[in-house]
């Protein structure tokens, strides 16, 4: 006769396949539902009930995107997995930015700058700080590879300075704008730096971007757990693309409601860009925090800094090409307040990265910087 604990274990084990099958069904259905809803609502004024439905499907698409990104990451291993999610989100985000700039007229002249800077602050302070805090609180100390993370931070700092700081000080054109030659140089430099970083991360020095133990030993998860099949990974790749298209498209659909809410509250228009950037980067935020909880802080930092780098390295070339068709100005230079925040972020990030390990204090410092950015966005 079986004992009661053994019967309970048996029932739990029988439930696991059912739960996995249920998870597989909803993570397949929600991205498809998001695309259908996007097609039905695109370019239309949405009543309040529909906005609520869109918001619910948007949240589901975010969770589905995280699930499929983790399936792909398990198949291809690190750092390829985090690269897939970062690049996929950024490509769709860039398409959204260019679309809004083409349709927005003179009001969109600062859209690219505001969106890219919001992405940098969210990733380098919000996501990074949250992951360091989560990892350090759960495992006492958050450990990562300072060589790979330092290279990523240096690339982000260089891209941000060339693309967002220099336009404020150039004199070829009035205002914080690049001339055509300067914009071309910034676009080409962004592509070259991003390409060099990806080659370093995935080919030449891949071990610099793998998780490490507290003793400094590299953890190559490819050598341990058996990943999903190639067919499963390809299906997840397609569903990831659908989910991300749904996230960005539905975020654009609810943006008029967000804009009216921001205006009713008397907040600056730049807050709209911050809210949309937070929605678009939500899949990466959830994936990064999950990695930090598993003591894979390096994976979290790959996602955070990789997203910041991709946002600049792909957005600037895209808007440089789009500027050929844009009639209004393209303002890229940051204000003095934002430059102070960027400089402080780079300095604090450097001091965080150098030791290769962080306590809750470092995570808290980055989160305070992120809170300062949000405060100044609401009260400039």
């Amino acid at each position: 006769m079986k004992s009661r604990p053994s019967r309970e274990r048996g029932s739990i084990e029988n439930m696991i396949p059912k739960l996995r099958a249920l998870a597989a069904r909803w993570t397949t259905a929600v991205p498809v539902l998001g695309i259908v809803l996007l097609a039905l609502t695109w370019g239309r004024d949405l009543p309040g009930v529909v906005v609520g439905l869109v918001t619910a499907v948007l949240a589901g698409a975010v969770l589905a995107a995280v699930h499929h990104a983790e399936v792909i990451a398990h198949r291809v291993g690190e750092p390829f997995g985090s690269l897939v999610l970062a690049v996929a989100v950024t490509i769709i985000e860039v398409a959204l930015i260019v679309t809004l700039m083409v349709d927005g007229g003179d009001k969109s002249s600062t859209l690219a700058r505001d969106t890219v800077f919001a992405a940098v602050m969210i990733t380098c302070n919000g996501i990074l700080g949250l992951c360091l805090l989560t990892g350090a609180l759960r495992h006492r100390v958050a450990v990562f590879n300072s060589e790979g993370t330092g290279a990523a931070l240096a690339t982000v700092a260089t891209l941000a300075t060339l693309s967002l700081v220099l336009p404020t000080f150039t004199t070829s054109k009035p205002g914080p704008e690049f001339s055509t030659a300067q914009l071309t140089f910034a676009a080409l430099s962004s592509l070259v730096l991003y390409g060099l970083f990806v080659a370093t991360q995935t080919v030449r020095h891949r071990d610099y971007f793998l998780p490490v133990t507290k003793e400094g030993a590299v953890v190559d998860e490819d050598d341990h757990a058996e990943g999903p099949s190639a067919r499963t990974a390809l299906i997840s790749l397609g569903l990831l693309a659908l989910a991300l298209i749904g996230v960005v498209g539905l975020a654009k659909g609810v943006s008029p409601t967000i804009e009216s809410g921001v205006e009713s509250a008397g907040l600056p228009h730049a807050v709209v860009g911050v809210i949309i950037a937070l929605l678009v980067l939500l899949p990466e935020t959830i994936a990064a925090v999950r990695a930090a909880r598993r003591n894979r802080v390096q994976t979290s930092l790959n996602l955070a800094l990789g997203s910041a780098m991709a946002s600049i390295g792909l957005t600037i070339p895209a808007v440089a090409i789009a500027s050929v068709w844009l009639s209004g100005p393209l303002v890229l230079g940051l204000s003095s307040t934002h430059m102070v925040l960027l400089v402080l972020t780079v300095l604090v990030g450097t001091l965080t990265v150098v030791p290769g390990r962080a306590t809750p204090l470092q995570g808290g410092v980055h989160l305070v910087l992120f809170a300062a950015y949000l405060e100044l966005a609401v009260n400039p």
Side-chain angles (χ1 to χ4, degrees), residues 101 112 162-163 167 170 172-173 177-190 315-324 326 329-332:
M101 289 183 68
L162 290 177
S163 303
T170 55
S172 297
K173 291 188 70 174
E177 300 177 46
F178 272 144
S179 66
T180 301
Q182 292 167 343
L183 182 60
T184 302
F185 173 79
L188 292 176
S189 298
S190 298
T315 300
I316 299 304
V319 298
I321 295 173
S323 65
V324 176
L326 296 175
L330 177 61
V331 177
L332 292 177

Side-chain angles (χ1 to χ4, degrees), residues 14 30-31 40 60 94-95 102 106 120 136 152 160 216 238 249 257 275 309 319 328 338 341 345-346 363:
N14 292 332
V30 170
L40 294 175
V94 168
V102 171
D106 291 339
V120 171
T257 304
I275 295 173
M309 201 180 311
V319 298
H338 285 168
L341 284 176
T345 297
V346 173

